Amino acid sequence: AIVEGLDRISPGSFSITPAENTDETSKLILDRSVYGAIIVEKAELTVQIASAASYPVSAAITGVGEQSGQRASLPVKVVDIAPFSAADPKGVGLSAGALPIALGGWIAAVGIISTIQGARQRLAAAISFAIVGGFTLTGVLQFWLGTFDGNYALTAACVTLGIAATCFLVLGLQQLLKGPGIGIAAVLLVL
C-alpha cells in the first residue's frame, strides 16, 4: 500500500529498497544508500529519515509515512537518523553557504585575472584565496550560525576544495576561451 501510494503521489520519483529490519534501514541511511525508511509493524509505523541529507526529501518521506499510518490506524513515530545541528535544524546555513562558495570562487578568479599575470602566480593566488575563504566561511557557518558541529579543520578543507574548484574552473575557462570563458563560467556556476 505504501509503494502504491508513493507511485500515485509522484510516479517514478521514488526507488524502493526492501530491508529486513531497523538495523539494516539505519545502516542504509547512514551509508547514504537511501534517504529514509518506513517500517511497518503491528503496533506502530516508524519513519526513519536523514534530514541533513535532504530536508525536502525527508519531509516528503515523513508525509508519506504519516499518511500511511493514518490509513492503517497506526501511531507514527519519526526518527531522524542524521539530523542537522540543533542550532540550525533545517540546514539554512548550509544552503546559504553554497552561494559564497560559487560566487566567492568566481569573484576571486575575476580579481586574479585582472590583477595577476603569470600562470604560477595565478595558481598560488587562487590556492591562497581558497584556503583563507574556506576556513573563514567554515568558521562563520560552524561557530556563528551553528550549521556544522563536526571537525572544523576537515569541514574547512572540504569548503576550501569547493572554492578552489570554482576558482580553477573560471581561471581555466578564461585561459582556454579568453573573455567568453568568464561568462560561460558564470552561467555554469549559476546553473
Side-chain angles (χ1 to χ4, degrees), residues 16-122:
I16 308 301
T17 303
E20 293 295 320
N21 53 47
T22 56
D23 290 338
E24 186 178 350
T25 58
S26 297
K27 183 175 179 349
L28 288 169
I29 292 169
L30 292 173
D31 289 345
R32 298 181 182 183
S33 299
V34 299
Y35 280 101
I38 298 174
I39 303 149
V40 182
E41 298 173 313
K42 290 180 183 179
E44 73 178 352
L45 187 142
T46 303
V47 179
Q48 290 180 329
I49 55 171
S51 60
S54 173
Y55 189 79
V57 172
S58 65
I61 293 169
T62 300
V64 169
E66 289 173 345
Q67 289 175 2
S68 299
Q70 286 175 350
R71 283 192 206 113
S73 299
L74 290 173
V76 177
K77 178 174 73 172
V78 178
V79 179
D80 197 345
I81 302 292
F84 283 108
S85 70
D88 187 9
K90 293 188 179 180
V92 174
L94 188 60
S95 299
L99 186 63
I101 290 173
L103 283 182
W106 186 83
I107 291 169
V110 170
I112 290 168
I113 290 165
S114 63
T115 59
I116 299 175
Q117 298 299 316
R120 286 189 180 146
Q121 292 83 353
R122 286 182 176 180

Side-chain angles (χ1 to χ4, degrees), residues 4 10 18 27 32 47 52-53 60 63 68 83-84 91 93 102 118 147 176 189-190:
E4 289 173 4
S10 185
K27 183 175 179 349
R32 298 181 182 183
V47 179
S68 299
F84 283 108
T147 300
L176 185 65
L189 291 173
V190 169

Side-chain angles (χ1 to χ4, degrees), residues 94-108 129 133-134 137-138 141 148 155 158-167 189:
L94 188 60
S95 299
L99 186 63
I101 290 173
L103 283 182
W106 186 83
I107 291 169
F129 179 85
L137 178 59
T138 303
L141 292 173
F148 303 121
T155 305
C158 293
V159 173
T160 296
L161 289 174
I163 293 171
T166 303
C167 193
L189 291 173

